[in-house]
Amino acid sequence: MPSAAKTIPCHIAIIMDGNGRWAKTRGLPRIKGHEAGAQAVRECVEACGELKVEYLTLYAFSAENWQRPKREVFSLMRLLEKFLKEKTPELIEKNVRLQAIGRLTDLPKRSQQQLHKTIEQTAGNNGLTLILALSYGGRLEIIDGIKSLLRAVELGHIDKAMIDVEMFSKHLYTRYYPDPDLLIRTSGEMRLSNFLLWQLSYTEMYVTPKLWPDFTKKDLFAAVEEFGSRQRRYGVVE
Ligand code: FPP
């Protein structure tokens, strides 16, 4: 576990990449990589709980992922339902509150029902908030935010002269959460892939070559340790 408790990030966001490659190197179907990825999710949630991280956002299914082969999309949705159903008692026991961001109504009805059930059943927990980004796209979120702001202006709830960074943030899916302090991406790719484009403006990035199913608690601790050594300046000169 990282030694300097004072440098624990309040909010960690993760781009869980490399499930497909993990399966391919083992001669397995891609879904086996996603199943192994779900195990890594469990380990990561546990690690964040131990570190007293307050928010963990996981990029579980992007708006672009709908373009994958139908079979893979179907299997991913089933895996999500299974994960939520099986892990709800554990989330409750570990005091984890589940939340979700994205265009959730795009998900199959069954997935939506299970998701809302777990959200309701964990609503009273006050430990880690686990946020799943599902059918999520950063550009779509910004468009949805603009539409929401325009509606508020039309209804006379706000004057357009009042629009600033803080107000716009209140019209995003993430309005209830602070911006991430640390972004972790696995599998060595150096890109954001349309994830939390607005919210990651001043986030520290940590990229590891490890594929997501191989990412362990120890790897999360290493990322947090590295975060502790960073100097955050937010564009200001000291
Ligand atoms: C990226 O790997 C991963 C995904 C698109 C899905 C993430 C899903 C999980 C980790 C499992 C289920 C999650 C939950 C919350 C139950 P990739 O398929 O793009 O890998 P590749 O780049 O190697 O092909």
Side-chain angles (χ1 to χ4, degrees), residues 16-21 30 34 37 60 65 68 79 83 132 212:
M16 309 181 287
D17 195 14
N19 295 350
R21 273 162 284 174
R30 293 177 59 83
H34 297 313
N65 285 157
R68 292 191 174 200
L79 179 61
F83 177 88
L132 297 183
W212 176 250

Side-chain angles (χ1 to χ4, degrees), residues 15-23 30 33-41 58-62 65 68 72 76 79-84 130 132 134 185 187 189 191 211-212:
I15 301 177
M16 309 181 287
D17 195 14
N19 295 350
R21 273 162 284 174
W22 184 92
R30 293 177 59 83
H34 297 313
E35 283 172 15
Q39 278 310 309
V41 168
L58 301 177
Y59 204 4
F61 193 86
S62 76
N65 285 157
R68 292 191 174 200
E72 184 174 347
L76 268 169
L79 179 61
L80 172 72
E81 290 159 24
K82 185 168 170 269
F83 177 88
L84 291 172
L130 170 63
L132 297 183
L134 292 163
R185 180 166 189 151
S187 95
E189 312 286 356
R191 40 174 190 269
L211 303 176
W212 176 250

Side-chain angles (χ1 to χ4, degrees), residues 36 45 72 91 94 98 104 127 155 160 164 178 193 208 213 215 220:
V45 169
E72 184 174 347
L91 294 176
K94 296 213 160 82
L98 188 87
L104 305 178
L155 292 169
K160 64 177 186 294
D164 59 10
S193 301
T208 166
F215 193 81
L220 187 110

Side-chain angles (χ1 to χ4, degrees), residues 50-88:
E50 286 175 26
L51 290 177
K52 304 261 181 300
V53 168
E54 290 181 45
Y55 301 88
L56 171 66
T57 301
L58 301 177
Y59 204 4
F61 193 86
S62 76
E64 291 75 25
N65 285 157
W66 293 114
Q67 292 159 39
R68 292 191 174 200
K70 260 203 179 109
R71 215 168 26 154
E72 184 174 347
V73 171
F74 180 84
S75 306
L76 268 169
M77 291 300 141
R78 285 285 165 277
L79 179 61
L80 172 72
E81 290 159 24
K82 185 168 170 269
F83 177 88
L84 291 172
K85 198 167 175 195
E86 281 179 14
K87 301 291 179 220
T88 300

Side-chain angles (χ1 to χ4, degrees), residues 105-169:
T105 51
D106 290 349
L107 300 176
K109 281 279 165 306
R110 238 167 80 168
S111 312
Q112 286 186 50
Q113 280 162 0
Q114 182 57 56
L115 183 66
H116 290 301
K117 203 166 163 187
T118 307
I119 289 174
E120 267 169 42
Q121 289 176 329
T122 61
N125 295 345
N126 60 6
L128 174 72
T129 297
L130 170 63
I131 305 154
L132 297 183
L134 292 163
S135 192
Y136 175 88
R139 287 179 173 179
L140 285 180
E141 181 183 26
I142 291 170
I143 299 280
D144 285 347
I146 292 169
K147 286 182 181 164
S148 162
L149 260 182
L150 286 175
R151 235 178 354 259
V153 171
E154 273 164 22
L155 292 169
H157 295 162
I158 55 168
D159 187 291
K160 64 177 186 294
M162 290 156 62
I163 299 173
D164 59 10
V165 167
E166 206 181 323
M167 181 176 287
F168 187 59
S169 300

